[in-house]
Structure formats: C-alpha cells, structure tokens
Amino acid sequence: MKEEGAEETHVLAFPIPSQGHINPLLQFCKRLASRGLKVTLAPTIFITKSAHIEVNNVRVEGISDGFDEGGMDAIKSPEVYFERFKVVGSESLAELIERQQSSGYPFKCLIYDSHMPWALEVGKRFGLSTASFFTQSCATDAIYYNVKKGLLSTPVQGPTVSLPGLPVLETHDLPSFVYYWGSYPIFRDSVLNQFQNVEQADYVLINTFDKLEDEVLKWMSNIYPIKTIGPSVPSIYLDKRVEDDKDYGLSLFESRKETYMDWLNMREAGSVIYVSFGSLSELGEEQMEEIALGLISSNHYFLWVVRKSEENKLPKSLAEDKSEKGLVVAWCSQLEVLAHKAVGCFLTHCGWNSTIESVSLGVPMIAMPQWTDQTMNAKFLVDVWEIGVRVELDEKGIIRRKEIEKCVKEIMEGDRGEKIKRNAFRWKVLAKEAIDEGGSSDKNIDEFVASLLCA
C-alpha cells in the first residue's frame, strides 16, 4: 500500500478536543500512515495528558488551547473557551509548524477539523496544502451550507423543506440549531462557519461514503472538491488491511472490558439491546426512568452505557429489578459491542459516529435523537436507509416506557424488524465495499495521497 516517496511527506492533523471529533480524524490518519506517510495528530495538551492513548504509526503532539490543566471543562462558558482556543491555538499551531520546519521532515499538509476555519489561515501562512475535515454527514453539511449562504431562510417557515439532493424534510428533521434557531448560538455559529472560507481549502474530506448519501454528495461536489473517505472506523471491522487497527486508540473515558464482554458472551445471538447516548448528551431523570422501565418491560437483555456524570439520574426501579436482564456500565468499546453476535439492535442518540459505526457493522437502530445533527441522521436511517425505527415523544417531550417497549419489540420480534435487519446487512456490505481495495473511498484516499506526493 505504500507509495514511493511517501515517507518524506509529513501530514499534520488538527482535531477539535472532543471524542466524537478526534475518532474519525485519527482513524483517517492511520489510513494515511498505512500508505507510508508520516502523520502527526495535534490534539490539545490537556487531551494528551488525560486521555488513554495507544496509537501506532501516528505521532501525537499536543498544542495549547489556553487551558492546559483543565481543558474544555475548566471553563463553563463555551463562548469564552472557543474564543481563547482560537487565539492561543493559532499561536501554538504555528509554533508546532515552525519547529517542524527546522527538522528533516517539515509538514506538507494540514488537515483541520472544519469547525476551526481559522486553522486554514495558519496553514496557508506557512505554504501548506490544506484539507477541511467534516465529521458530520454530507446531508447535515448541506443544510448548514444552505443556511450560511442564505439559500434557506431562518427561522424556518412552513411544515416542510425541499432542498437539492435531499428528501423532503419536516422542520423537526432539520438540525436543532436550524429548527430551534435561538438555541445554542455559539454552536450554531460554529457549524455555519465551517463554510466561512472552505472554498480556499485544497481538499474537502467527509466521513461518509458515496452510496450512503449519493444524491446530496453529487450536489455538494459541484460546489466543493469533496472526497468521501469513510466509513472512518478501525480497519478490523471493515477491510482488515491496516495492521493491528482494532480500536480508535485514543479515549477520554475508561472502561472495564472484561465486565461487559463476559456478560455479552453469555447471551444468545441477537438477544441484547445496546443502549448509549454518546459522550455529550444529557437526559433528565424522568426520561432516564422511562427508558429503564421500557427496557425492563420489553423482557429483552440490555447493555446500557451511562457516563459517571449521569449515574445519579439512574432510577431506583433499575436497581430493584431482579430479572438480571440488564447491565449498566460507565463506558465501553462501542465498536466491539456492536460487532458482538449477541447485540440485536442499538438504542442510540444518532450521533454521526454512532450512526456510521452501526451502519458499518449491520446493526439495526432505534433512533432517539437529542440535538444538533442527530435529528437529520434519524430521518435518514429510518426513511432513506430503512435500517431502524424512531421513537415518538409525548406532549411533554418525553419518550414513555410503552414507546420504548414498542420500538424494541418492533425490531427484535416483528416482521418489520426482519426487513430492517436485511437492510442493515445490505448497508454493512456496501460500507465495506467503499473502503475495501478499489472501493470509492479507498480510491479517494489514494488520490489524496498521490496529490500530496506530487505537490
């Protein structure tokens, strides 16, 4: 897989300091390293000091965000954090590039998270090729593009929205920052500013694959030099061509693998509901209790990930349940769980990483979106890819236990569930084909590498 001259080409990758943003970019770095390129990942200094890091062939070098001792959690104001990160991060990123210039292997290309458009300016200042890395779906990116360019008026009027390359969307299918226009302005501005200067980037990389988002990719490719490079998940679960690539290799959370894997190993194939709402979503106590009671009454085994910061919301009903149907853990290797034969479906918040991991492993989903892009992902997995069902909220915005139980049984027991399982398997095959040798994403990665070697 290594190309001649690749070892002299050094790439710098710069992620947002969040687990969901680091994972896909680090995974792409491994793909580049497997082709012989030198690759450096530059998370924040706090991440390098606090995360569990086990990465081969990718050098990790921390840069400062201005909060080296506490990171993003050190300050309660996202506005203050990101403004400080822009100022200090620009300086620290420039210093790293300058230090590397005096070595024998200067950086040739900067791949930066699309949420940090200011990084492009740093890269251009040093004459580097630049690539904007989008960690969300192309469909979601298209919505933000249309809003940023004034092609979709906000606040959104009317019950439905029709945009090029996308199915007809109800307003509640739109990303929450667009549908609820006044919510989280700092994050709304961040997703819109991905398109602030992206036309100046030499490449636009998206963690998706062609057949998954065919129509919207064709439309967006007429505007930007897009290359799909996904699914960006460890190679062992797809093509198995990257040596020893069994996990992402950098985790902000700690798990006890033997506990949940031993438990899963005792369950029959397809008998377990895996439940996780990601690294950021927060649920209220009432919603946590409804989920617990719905899972218990479904009479199926369940493995539920509840972060330590959320443990105090767990209901007494879960502790009092004597059926031994459920296991609650603080964190786990999600890919390893999804790949386990015992897992029959995934109750998920529909973050893009979770969605594309589940697609890649052929696991049907119960969609319970919370905010940001998750509503768009839920729309696609239910109505476009037909690999899941979506819960319905009551008048208080709560998903009740009966609704949880109904959705679980629909996938685990019903006729519709069998169709969903067949569709999920089909998408698993297509995901593997995309990244396998000669697949669409594999070719795009080869073209990206070749262009760096020629530059």
Side-chain angles (χ1 to χ4, degrees), residues 233-251:
V233 300
S235 178
I236 190 67
Y237 299 103
L238 292 166
D239 59 310
K240 300 177 174 60
R241 291 187 297 146
V242 180
E243 188 176 355
D244 296 326
D245 187 24
K246 300 176 182 179
D247 201 348
Y248 288 111
L250 189 155
S251 178

Side-chain angles (χ1 to χ4, degrees), residues 38-183:
K38 288 188 176 297
V39 186
T40 295
L41 181 80
T44 60
I45 290 173
F46 175 74
I47 294 289
T48 63
K49 292 193 298 186
S50 60
H52 306 276
I53 304 175
E54 296 181 13
V55 184
N56 295 323
N57 301 326
V58 175
R59 169 191 172 211
V60 178
E61 182 81 19
I63 72 161
S64 180
D65 59 357
F67 302 95
D68 297 346
E69 298 305 316
M72 196 179 297
D73 293 335
I75 188 163
K76 299 300 181 183
S77 169
E79 290 88 348
V80 172
Y81 174 81
F82 285 111
E83 189 57 38
R84 180 70 172 162
F85 188 19
K86 179 179 178 180
V87 174
V88 177
S90 294
E91 295 174 355
S92 188
L93 183 63
E95 289 170 1
L96 173 58
I97 295 171
E98 285 181 325
R99 286 199 307 272
Q100 199 63 38
Q101 280 184 329
S102 61
S103 74
Y105 297 100
F107 294 120
K108 196 169 188 178
C109 175
L110 171 66
I111 307 173
Y112 64 94
D113 191 296
S114 60
H115 286 259
M116 300 185 291
W118 47 266
L120 178 144
E121 299 168 5
V122 177
K124 291 295 185 185
R125 191 195 320 159
F126 289 94
L128 306 185
S129 297
T130 52
S132 184
F133 191 94
F134 284 74
T135 56
Q136 296 182 331
S137 74
C138 186
T140 298
D141 298 332
I143 295 292
Y144 294 142
Y145 169 85
N146 277 278
V147 173
K148 179 67 174 179
K149 301 301 182 181
L151 303 174
L152 175 61
S153 300
T154 52
V156 177
Q157 304 296 321
T160 62
V161 171
S162 295
L163 292 169
L166 296 171
V168 175
L169 302 168
E170 296 184 28
T171 50
H172 67 266
D173 293 326
L174 296 169
S176 64
F177 302 143
V178 177
Y179 177 40
Y180 300 108
W181 185 247
S183 66

Side-chain angles (χ1 to χ4, degrees), residues 309-383:
S309 59
E310 296 282 281
E311 284 179 350
N312 63 317
K313 301 177 185 177
L314 284 170
K316 292 181 180 179
S317 55
L318 193 60
E320 294 168 354
D321 177 46
K322 304 303 180 183
S323 66
E324 298 182 356
K325 287 285 187 180
L327 175 66
V328 177
V329 297
W331 199 248
C332 71
S333 170
Q334 180 160 288
L335 280 163
E336 197 167 12
V337 170
L338 289 173
H340 198 285
K341 63 180 179 60
V343 173
C345 79
F346 181 12
L347 174 54
T348 172
H349 65 310
C350 303
W352 184 240
N353 285 340
S354 290
T355 300
I356 205 163
E357 287 172 358
S358 204
V359 167
S360 299
L361 292 167
V363 180
M365 286 174 269
I366 299 172
M368 188 174 161
Q370 302 298 302
W371 70 321
T372 183
D373 65 325
Q374 296 160 17
T375 44
M376 279 286 290
N377 300 335
K379 167 68 176 178
F380 271 73
L381 74 89
V382 173
D383 294 335

